[in-house]
Amino acid sequence: MAASAVLNAAKTSTRISDETRARVLAAAEKLRYRPNATARGLAHRRMNTLGVAATLVGDEPNQYFLEVFNGIIQRAAASGQTATVFTLGDWDEAARRIPDFCDGRIDGLILLAPLLEPDATPWLPEHTPIVSVHANHAIAGVVNLESDEETGAFEMTRRLLAMGHRRILHVGGPPGALGAERRARGYLRAHAEAGLAPPADHLLRGAYSVEAGRDALESWLCRHRGQPLPDVVFAASDAIGLGCTERLLARGLHVPDDISVVGFDDTVLARTARMATVRQPLRELGAKAVDVLLARIDARVQDRAYSGPRNIVLPTEVVVRATLAAPRKARLSIA
Amino acid sequence: MAASAVLNAAKTSTRISDETRARVLAAAEKLRYRPNATARGLAHRRMNTLGVAATLVGDEPNQYFLEVFNGIIQRAAASGQTATVFTLGDWDEAARRIPDFCDGRIDGLILLAPLLEPDATPWLPEHTPIVSVHANHAIAGVVNLESDEETGAFEMTRRLLAMGHRRILHVGGPPGALGAERRARGYLRAHAEAGLAPPADHLLRGAYSVEAGRDALESWLCRHRGQPLPDVVFAASDAIGLGCTERLLARGLHVPDDISVVGFDDTVLARTARMATVRQPLRELGAKAVDVLLARIDARVQDRAYSGPRNIVLPTEVVVRATLAAPRKARLSIA
DNA sequence: TTGAAAGCGCTAACAA
DNA sequence: TTGTTAGCGCTTTCAA
């Protein structure tokens, strides 16, 4: 009854006499009473906690994750929720572990860049609302948030072409990854629109990391010795772009005077390296994911169906920085 | 009894007959039974969840926080724990909000770089073990983890002096912040050891951010027009160092040919900008904080006193990168 | 080896 | 306006 009064203070002010309320408050104060969130959660079926599932491995922090996560916790805090992180070694573990996460301690789950089969339905817990950011496939029952990567890549490539760049080397992301495909598609579409066709060997694919970018570019340069140096490297991620820049500098080439470099994502890496890039609204994506998730949770609480869209696309934007300049007039050859 | 059996499978294998176990397992499977962590937590008084409290505001993600946090979640996951984040707008809110966090949903709390009064004891909940990372003061009942910032700053400064640098401008952290004091102290001690005394105006103080670094250096340079350019800028954080570099480049100065820049922390900023810095083992600090916290939680569960140290200091390390070179032979003046 | 019962700390519906 | 009661889903005695 103490708890009832203390709490109802906010809800039913008429229910308790002032005298009783004062007595309860005094007692609570004296006992340093703290309501227990677990018990309350049990009774209430609501923990005011959102889960975030992501793969988070390796030594170097994944900036993509960290930026989205930053957006998530800021918005969650603003909505009176807290966020708890579940790490997956690999998305193959998802079928086994995700149902365990949805065990009453979270009200909803955000999947960060999940690599899941479209038929994940059998094991996806149906009692917990789920949203995903940059899912690789549409998943039944999961609302997805993404950014318009193809248009971003398209606009960037078009801009490069308009500046006079012609030999545009695309150091792309992993084959099969939806985002990587979309970026490559934008790159190709911009060429097609300009009536151009980039040589097939100007489109590489590999992991999204600094090392992958470094190695991919280096081996490509070695294979193309004596041929003309590309005008610009269009990396499919900022990390790749950084790796490429590193190799170019190591070869004594100047960025952007000899060759430009542009990235993708606009993580802190690009901002720090003053690298031109395609901005994905990472923090907004995280914040919006929280909004949608809360809407779904509310709908469930009120036993309504969630009526919002199943897929939400946020715009991307070309960001010009110091690593992008007009192409060199005198063409260089690869040493 | 189903739950009992299912769970006791791990604990008391003799208690349940094989037949019953099989029946229970089959039923659980058919019902897609999932134990409820909240109820279990209520009964068990253990959520297997660690809390992390930090101030996390502003647009640009705080890399210091993110790196420590990365270490925390990795180690927590390895120990079968999850981490939930509580954000504070300001450490002044701590007295009001921290007791609320310790409401049964977490087993222990990690305070990230707390700015707390030493007499925080009255409101610190005594039923939840707490550890801090880089606390500003010793707090009764809280085990603190930190890194040896003074030695790091000392070693870096000594190294700069040994390279022949003499005019070392220290763009320091906020006055009153323990870490900033320690960094400044190391800077001064290295000078003293070499029988040198830096001019008083070579020691600035301000916030830890890129903007603060940029503004502090710019106004300092304006105030010292015509005087000799420093040999090197020793920034009290990577962010400050980045801000300083930005201003130097904008003035047409070359780093490190005209002037060197070194930072502090070794966040992703320094790694990306190839900036020399003093490395703080941020991820290790996070991981170790988890270890100590779990040890304290176990001690409490077993009703023992925690017997480990009250303060743990991890070493720092000088990292040399491209922004540090020998001082310029011909001295430049400030334009 | 199994079943029954009490309780973790709170909420909510119902009586008084 | 107040007190009582019955859960929330699980764990843990204690009997049977």
Side-chain angles (χ1 to χ4, degrees):
Chain A
M1 55 247 107
S4 175
V6 169
L7 209 158
N8 284 357
K11 224 170 91 185
T12 328
S13 48
T14 61
R15 204 171 124 67
I16 305 286
S17 71
D18 283 357
E19 197 243 314
T20 311
R21 163 173 302 120
R23 260 192 320 135
V24 166
L25 254 20
E29 174 69 17
K30 200 168 73 192
L31 298 170
R32 297 170 110 260
Y33 170 79
R34 295 276 145 205
N36 179 312
T38 308
R40 175 178 287 174
L42 221 210
H44 232 193
R45 285 95 178 292
R46 178 76 187 246
M47 287 298 280
N48 291 313
T49 299
L50 271 20
V52 181
T55 56
L56 191 55
V57 290
D59 246 21
E60 189 66 29
N62 178 342
Q63 295 301 327
Y64 166 85
F65 167 83
L66 294 174
E67 303 242 358
V68 178
F69 185 65
N70 207 48
I72 290 174
I73 46 182
Q74 298 211 146
R75 181 61 58 92
S79 309
Q81 311 292 114
T82 58
T84 115
V85 186
F86 302 101
T87 51
L88 258 18
D90 191 286
W91 283 102
D92 291 340
E93 301 176 5
R96 187 164 47 77
R97 299 197 45 215
I98 292 209
D100 283 344
F101 301 158
C102 303
D103 55 6
R105 66 187 135 171
I106 58 173
D107 305 316
L109 182 63
I110 298 175
L111 268 21
L112 231 54
L115 262 28
L116 255 31
E117 296 306 307
D119 58 352
T121 332
W123 54 262
L124 268 187
E126 63 269 30
H127 54 283
T128 305
I130 302 184
V131 309
S132 58
V133 175
H134 279 134
N136 211 35
H137 294 290
I139 307 165
V142 175
V143 175
N144 184 60
L145 295 271
E146 59 187 25
S147 57
D148 193 350
E149 297 160 274
E150 179 173 339
T151 300
F154 172 79
E155 301 279 11
M156 174 59 94
T157 308
R158 186 157 68 170
R159 176 162 210 142
L160 297 177
L161 291 169
M163 290 174 79
H165 290 284
R166 281 299 168 273
R167 284 161 319 222
I168 305 175
L169 180 67
H170 183 58
V171 185
L178 181 59
E181 300 298 345
R182 287 176 166 167
R183 293 166 203 199
R185 213 141 61 207
Y187 162 84
L188 292 172
R189 189 154 62 82
H191 279 85
E193 195 204 52
L196 300 166
D201 68 353
H202 273 49
L203 207 166
L204 314 182
R205 301 299 289 270
Y208 276 132
S209 68
V210 175
E211 300 71 39
R214 189 169 53 210
D215 298 348
L217 181 65
E218 182 63 20
S219 83
W220 189 89
L221 290 172
C222 288
R223 287 200 309 275
H224 292 76
R225 203 157 308 195
Q227 298 181 31
L229 185 72
D231 297 316
V232 51
V233 172
F234 177 15
S237 80
D238 292 336
I240 292 175
L242 227 46
C244 292
T245 304
E246 199 177 293
R247 286 321 301 162
L248 294 170
L249 297 178
R251 283 172 166 254
L253 293 165
H254 295 280
V255 175
D257 303 316
D258 297 332
I259 179 170
S260 292
V261 176
V262 304
F264 203 106
D265 284 347
D266 197 26
T267 57
V268 66
L269 300 180
R271 298 193 290 272
T272 301
R274 316 173 128 269
M275 181 164 61
T277 193
V278 177
R279 187 175 119 79
Q280 296 200 85
L282 264 16
R283 277 181 307 244
E284 289 86 335
L285 244 10
K288 190 103 182 112
V290 170
D291 291 340
V292 173
L293 188 54
L294 288 176
R296 293 200 61 181
I297 294 170
D298 286 345
R300 160 165 315 250
V301 166
Q302 294 163 35
D303 233 344
R304 292 186 290 100
Y306 166 76
S307 56
R310 303 239 141 271
N311 194 56
I312 297 170
V313 181
L314 266 45
T316 51
E317 179 194 355
V318 171
V319 180
V320 176
R321 294 206 185 89
T323 60
L324 173 59
R328 201 177 198 282
K329 265 149 249 125
R331 317 205 135 176
L332 291 174
S333 295
I334 298 169
Chain B
M1 57 245 119
S4 174
V6 170
L7 209 160
N8 285 356
K11 225 171 90 185
T12 328
S13 49
T14 62
R15 204 170 124 66
I16 304 288
S17 72
D18 284 357
E19 197 243 315
T20 311
R21 161 172 304 117
R23 259 191 321 134
V24 166
L25 254 21
E29 174 69 17
K30 198 168 74 194
L31 299 170
R32 295 169 113 260
Y33 170 78
R34 295 276 145 205
N36 178 312
T38 310
R40 176 178 286 174
L42 220 210
H44 231 191
R45 288 95 178 293
R46 178 77 187 247
M47 287 299 280
N48 292 310
T49 299
L50 271 20
V52 181
T55 57
L56 191 54
V57 290
D59 246 21
E60 189 66 29
N62 178 340
Q63 294 300 327
Y64 166 87
F65 166 84
L66 294 175
E67 302 243 357
V68 178
F69 185 65
N70 207 47
I72 290 174
I73 45 180
Q74 297 211 147
R75 182 60 58 91
S79 308
Q81 310 294 113
T82 57
T84 114
V85 186
F86 302 101
T87 51
L88 258 20
D90 192 284
W91 282 102
D92 292 340
E93 302 176 5
R96 186 164 48 78
R97 300 198 43 214
I98 292 210
D100 284 345
F101 301 158
C102 304
D103 55 5
R105 66 187 136 172
I106 57 171
D107 305 315
L109 219 210
I110 298 175
L111 268 22
L112 232 52
L115 261 31
L116 256 30
E117 296 307 305
D119 58 352
T121 331
W123 55 262
L124 268 186
E126 63 270 28
H127 54 281
T128 304
I130 302 184
V131 309
S132 59
V133 176
H134 280 134
N136 211 36
H137 293 290
I139 306 165
V142 175
V143 176
N144 184 58
L145 295 271
E146 60 186 26
S147 58
D148 193 349
E149 296 159 275
E150 178 172 338
T151 300
F154 172 79
E155 302 279 10
M156 174 59 94
T157 309
R158 186 157 69 170
R159 176 161 209 143
L160 298 176
L161 291 170
M163 288 172 81
H165 290 282
R166 280 300 168 273
R167 286 162 319 226
I168 305 176
L169 179 67
H170 184 56
V171 184
L178 182 58
E181 300 298 346
R182 288 176 166 168
R183 293 167 203 197
R185 212 140 63 208
Y187 163 85
L188 292 172
R189 190 153 62 81
H191 279 86
E193 195 203 53
L196 301 166
D201 69 352
H202 274 50
L203 207 166
L204 313 182
R205 300 300 288 269
Y208 275 134
S209 67
V210 174
E211 299 71 40
R214 188 170 53 210
D215 298 348
L217 181 65
E218 182 63 21
S219 83
W220 190 88
L221 290 172
C222 288
R223 288 200 308 275
H224 291 76
R225 205 160 304 197
Q227 298 182 30
L229 185 73
D231 298 317
V232 52
V233 172
F234 178 14
S237 79
D238 292 335
I240 292 176
L242 227 46
C244 292
T245 303
E246 199 178 293
R247 285 321 302 162
L248 295 170
L249 296 179
R251 282 172 165 258
L253 292 165
H254 296 280
V255 175
D257 302 317
D258 296 332
I259 179 169
S260 292
V261 176
V262 305
F264 204 107
D265 285 345
D266 198 24
T267 56
V268 65
L269 300 181
R271 299 193 290 274
T272 301
R274 314 174 131 269
M275 180 164 62
T277 193
V278 176
R279 186 176 120 77
Q280 294 201 85
L282 263 16
R283 278 183 307 247
E284 289 86 335
L285 243 11
K288 189 105 184 115
V290 170
D291 291 340
V292 173
L293 188 54
L294 288 176
R296 294 198 62 181
I297 293 170
D298 286 344
R300 158 164 318 247
V301 166
Q302 295 162 36
D303 233 343
R304 293 184 289 102
Y306 166 75
S307 56
R310 302 238 142 274
N311 194 53
I312 296 171
V313 182
L314 266 43
T316 51
E317 179 194 353
V318 170
V319 180
V320 177
R321 294 207 184 90
T323 59
L324 173 58
R328 201 177 197 282
K329 266 149 247 124
R331 314 206 137 176
L332 292 175
S333 295
I334 297 168

